[in-house]
Amino acid sequence: MTTLSPENSISARRSASFILGLHPLVRTEAWKFLTGYYSWQSSQDERLTVDSTRRKNYKALCQMYEKIQPLLENLHQNFIETRNNIAHDIQKLYDKDPLGNILIDKKKLEKILLLSYVCNTQAEYQQGFHEMVMLFQLMVEHDHETFWLFQFFLQKTEHSCVINIGVGKNLDMLNNLINFLDPMFAEHLKGKGAGAVQSLFPWFCLCFQRAFKSFDDVWRLWEVLLTGKPCRNFQVLVAYSLLQMVRGQVLQESMTGDAILLACNNLIDLDADELISAACLVYAELIQKDVPQPLQDFFL
């Protein structure tokens, strides 16, 4: 890569992470580049400065939160409700590995989620964020890294997992994609299978976290989403590929919407590389066709 221009070198690094995946030993550091926590062109000294600044900014946000917390409790009913929801969701998290060792710090996780809710007005807390942030906490060592990686992840993926921003658009485009690539399946989903696609919102809210057999598989897919390759909004191609896994059963058994949803929910313990490859084949099929303008604008 040293023989490439800076621009092409950056592109090559991103392509490599998309095609090959990241080795677990470099994942923590590489994610800081993929999310935008660090600039690809930054030097080691510049990265030390950036990390120090992010640590200080996180500390300042924590101090601000402590000062305004009484005001939020007295004037904003939504704050108390959200805080209770976060506490309830975190309590349900299983925080131990098979040997009984504690994996996560629930108190720190609760603090990060509350801070994110207060500071990020675009992405209000929703059920599932606690599971996503837990994966960031498992990846990095410090609280400020967990907080900022989550914020940058949301930005880099265009808030595609946020219910009031990206999830509805994802579902609409998934419907459009099925109509375009698989009219027979689309016809069933409009008839007897009505409502099934709209019920698949948890796939997007959790970025498919529950479909995989390991955290490494989840990170693998998320890394692809961060590269923006092979296209924008790759998550919808992933969802389409998942639906294709149950397509034969759905049509053969003439399933209702509820039965389709149950079949989709049973798609677990998947291999990330296989799913990514399947979604890439969908993309390859898509670009060979005369794609309608809404799909062009969304993917291409």
Side-chain angles (χ1 to χ4, degrees):
M1 289 184 186
T2 56
T3 63
L4 300 173
S5 68
E7 294 78 11
N8 288 337
S9 177
I10 291 168
S11 178
R13 291 179 196 135
R14 291 172 179 163
S15 297
S17 65
F18 166 67
I19 297 167
L20 303 173
L22 291 170
H23 191 282
L25 293 178
V26 302
R27 175 164 281 136
T28 297
E29 199 67 10
W31 263 69
K32 293 178 181 178
F33 291 95
L34 285 173
T35 56
Y37 185 102
Y38 291 145
S39 166
W40 287 96
Q41 295 97 337
S42 60
S43 66
Q44 184 175 2
D45 287 342
E46 288 170 336
R47 290 193 289 276
L48 289 172
T49 301
V50 166
D51 189 68
S52 176
T53 300
R54 299 210 188 284
R55 186 191 299 269
K56 291 175 182 176
N57 288 344
Y58 176 75
K59 185 177 179 180
L61 289 174
C62 291
Q63 292 172 343
M64 176 206 70
Y65 169 73
E66 290 174 2
K67 289 180 180 178
I68 67 171
Q69 183 178 346
L71 184 65
L72 293 171
E73 290 172 342
N74 291 328
L75 298 181
H76 296 276
Q77 181 62 35
N78 286 346
F79 171 77
I80 297 175
E81 182 180 345
T82 300
R83 186 176 62 183
N84 291 339
N85 289 339
I86 290 173
H88 177 71
D89 289 342
I90 289 177
Q91 192 60 37
K92 292 187 297 182
L93 274 179
Y94 191 72
D95 60 352
K96 297 179 181 179
D97 66 13
L99 298 177
N101 300 313
I102 300 294
L103 287 173
I104 57 171
D105 187 321
K106 288 187 174 182
K107 284 294 183 184
K108 289 184 177 180
L109 182 59
E110 182 176 0
K111 180 180 178 181
I112 291 167
L113 286 165
L114 276 169
L115 195 62
S116 179
Y117 165 67
V118 171
C119 297
N120 189 344
T121 56
Q122 278 191 295
E124 293 187 359
Y125 179 77
Q126 63 190 41
Q127 193 172 41
F129 274 2
H130 64 300
E131 295 182 39
M132 293 180 68
V133 176
M134 177 191 73
L135 286 187
F136 289 103
Q137 192 182 58
L138 288 172
M139 185 190 301
V140 296
E141 183 179 356
H142 302 292
D143 292 353
H144 74 279
E145 295 172 313
T146 303
F147 175 82
W148 289 117
L149 281 180
F150 180 55
Q151 305 308 314
F152 284 125
F153 178 82
L154 292 176
Q155 292 176 23
K156 200 71 178 287
T157 56
E158 302 181 56
H159 291 84
S160 67
C161 63
V162 179
I163 289 177
N164 61 356
I165 300 178
V167 172
K169 183 71 170 177
N170 287 335
L171 292 169
D172 289 343
M173 287 298 122
L174 178 57
N175 263 319
N176 290 347
L177 189 64
I178 298 168
N179 288 333
F180 180 61
L181 292 180
D182 196 346
M184 181 186 295
F185 195 25
E187 197 62 31
H188 180 83
L189 292 172
K190 290 175 186 174
K192 193 170 182 180
V197 172
Q198 292 302 119
S199 298
L200 295 174
F201 65 90
W203 279 355
F204 296 113
C205 291
L206 290 165
C207 282
F208 309 98
Q209 184 175 339
R210 293 177 181 170
F212 294 112
K213 60 186 177 183
S214 71
F215 291 154
D216 283 327
D217 285 282
V218 179
W219 286 322
R220 172 76 174 103
L221 176 63
W222 289 4
E223 285 154 10
V224 173
L225 299 181
L226 287 170
T227 66
K229 294 181 179 294
C231 63
R232 291 175 57 239
N233 295 305
F234 189 68
Q235 69 277 356
V236 174
L237 300 182
V238 171
Y240 179 87
S241 300
L242 286 170
L243 271 173
Q244 288 296 300
M245 293 180 185
V246 301
R247 178 188 187 276
Q249 181 187 3
V250 168
L251 295 179
Q252 183 178 358
E253 300 178 14
S254 189
M255 287 182 168
T256 63
D258 288 343
I260 295 170
L261 178 60
L262 180 60
C264 289
N265 287 339
N266 287 333
L267 293 173
I268 57 174
D269 294 334
L270 302 180
D271 180 273
D273 283 327
E274 291 178 4
L275 183 57
I276 291 165
S277 296
C280 286
L281 290 176
V282 176
Y283 174 70
E285 178 186 357
L286 187 65
I287 60 176
Q288 292 175 15
K289 297 179 179 290
D290 185 14
V291 182
Q293 195 61 48
L295 289 177
Q296 281 192 40
D297 294 340
F298 191 68
F299 290 114
L300 308 178

